Amino acid sequence: MDESGGSSEIEYTNIDAAAAALDCSTIFHLVTDIVGFILFMHQQIPSLLQDITLEFDELRSEFKELEIELAESEPKAPLIRRKLAARKREVKMGIRRLEKLMGCISNLKAALQLLVAEVPNVDKISLVLGPSPLRPLHIFELSFSNGRAFLEDFSRSKTAETLSRKAIRMMISKGIGSDSHPGPTKLFLLVKAPSYLNLPLHFLPKREFRPNRKTKPFRLRFRCRTQNLEMNPQRNDCANSVELQHSPSTDLIWFQCRHTIKGLALRSSPAED
């Protein structure tokens, strides 16, 4: 993330979009999909984030149903009540196991959604996996083409689906997750944005943020194809990004999201926990 060495030393993996601009909803879904992919590939969650979310929702629904069934089972045989009570305990344990993780994910997604809706010119988003942002095990830096379209609807679009698949395939081809470290760790979200960003409940300024240089970031850059046609193919849009960062009218600094995601200790499956 330290770009003091010059743009020639920065390696980007480009993901091209056919859209003229990336709207805030697309960026939101791209980042959340990549967060889930990173957590799964680095063994911080037992299955894909979509599957865990579905499992958590199903457990909560079943718990409510069991409560109603137990309340209405007074006339039933003691054996039936014991079976219902035992299942209710199992479901409650499953909920407790996932509750903190899902709460952290929900808080981070809420902060990210507010960020992309309120700040149209977010320059970079970094996802840092490790004990702290200054002692990272892995760094994933996401850059986006300039120009945003605001949408009040954050439903998943075809553009978001396509770009997400491209990004995840690219990360798999680059071996992301092949050198995972055992044990749970944390995922931090940092954003490079104008210094006037005012979301104190979710983001704190980290103006002097400099991670350990021994950890080489994996950089994904999402480009709008219609914009790239107007650029010099030799420069790509890397130089354009550097010029934006050093523009006298734009003071870009790092902000750290208050919400982190701590991985689960994958000692056993939910059924055995």
Side-chain angles (χ1 to χ4, degrees):
M1 275 184 281
D2 184 3
E3 298 173 3
S4 59
S7 61
S8 61
E9 297 182 6
I10 300 175
E11 295 181 5
Y12 287 94
T13 298
N14 294 318
I15 305 292
D16 291 326
L22 298 180
D23 60 64
C24 55
S25 175
T26 297
I27 293 174
F28 167 75
H29 286 292
L30 278 173
V31 177
T32 53
D33 284 354
I34 291 172
V35 164
F37 173 77
I38 291 169
L39 291 172
F40 176 63
M41 292 301 290
H42 287 282
Q43 302 174 28
Q44 297 304 303
I45 54 178
S47 57
L48 295 175
L49 188 55
Q50 303 95 302
D51 296 337
I52 293 178
T53 302
L54 180 61
E55 177 190 354
F56 186 63
D57 291 340
E58 288 177 346
L59 285 172
R60 290 194 299 178
S61 296
E62 185 180 356
F63 186 80
K64 291 178 181 179
E65 292 171 2
L66 287 167
E67 282 190 320
I68 294 172
E69 203 168 347
L70 275 167
E72 297 175 347
S73 65
E74 290 295 339
K76 294 184 179 180
L79 179 60
I80 296 176
R81 286 187 56 81
R82 283 198 297 270
K83 286 183 177 180
L84 290 173
R87 179 56 186 165
K88 182 181 174 183
R89 286 193 296 271
E90 290 176 4
V91 171
K92 189 174 183 179
M93 289 175 64
I95 291 172
R96 284 182 174 175
R97 181 172 183 268
L98 297 176
E99 200 165 31
K100 188 173 182 180
L101 171 69
M102 297 309 299
C104 293
I105 291 173
S106 178
N107 288 336
L108 186 139
K109 288 172 70 174
L112 178 62
Q113 191 175 85
L114 184 61
L115 172 73
V116 297
E118 295 288 333
V119 185
N121 49 347
V122 169
D123 186 59
K124 291 184 178 70
I125 291 178
S126 281
L127 304 171
V128 179
L129 197 68
S132 78
L134 298 180
R135 294 186 294 126
L137 299 174
H138 304 278
I139 302 172
F140 305 89
E141 186 177 284
L142 313 179
S143 301
F144 304 95
S145 295
N146 299 329
R148 303 285 183 272
F150 176 73
L151 291 177
E152 292 185 2
D153 181 11
F154 272 85
S155 60
R156 195 179 190 86
S157 66
K158 186 176 180 180
T159 298
E161 191 71 38
T162 301
L163 289 177
S164 179
R165 283 200 302 267
K166 283 184 178 181
I168 289 174
R169 285 172 184 165
M170 183 64 71
M171 295 173 79
I172 291 173
S173 72
K174 297 290 185 179
I176 299 302
S178 60
D179 56 346
S180 294
H181 298 263
T185 188
K186 294 180 180 180
L187 185 140
F188 302 86
L189 185 147
L190 294 103
V191 56
K192 201 166 194 179
S195 57
Y196 56 76
L197 176 66
N198 186 27
L199 299 173
L201 293 178
H202 297 288
F203 293 91
L204 296 175
K206 291 285 183 180
R207 189 179 289 270
E208 302 301 323
F209 172 61
R210 293 289 186 276
N212 188 331
R213 295 190 181 187
K214 293 181 181 179
T215 304
K216 184 180 179 181
F218 176 79
R219 293 184 169 98
L220 272 179
R221 179 170 45 192
F222 296 91
R223 307 180 304 177
C224 296
R225 194 180 302 275
T226 51
Q227 292 177 347
N228 296 334
L229 291 175
E230 301 172 359
M231 297 180 182
N232 185 323
Q234 298 298 321
R235 295 179 69 210
N236 212 339
D237 58 43
C238 181
N240 180 273
S241 176
V242 173
E243 289 169 5
L244 173 66
Q245 294 176 38
H246 296 286
S247 169
S249 60
T250 307
D251 181 16
L252 296 173
I253 67 170
W254 286 104
F255 292 83
Q256 181 178 332
C257 184
R258 287 176 175 268
H259 311 295
T260 62
I261 300 174
K262 185 176 181 181
L264 295 174
L266 306 182
R267 296 188 304 271
S268 59
S269 66
E272 300 168 341
D273 208 8

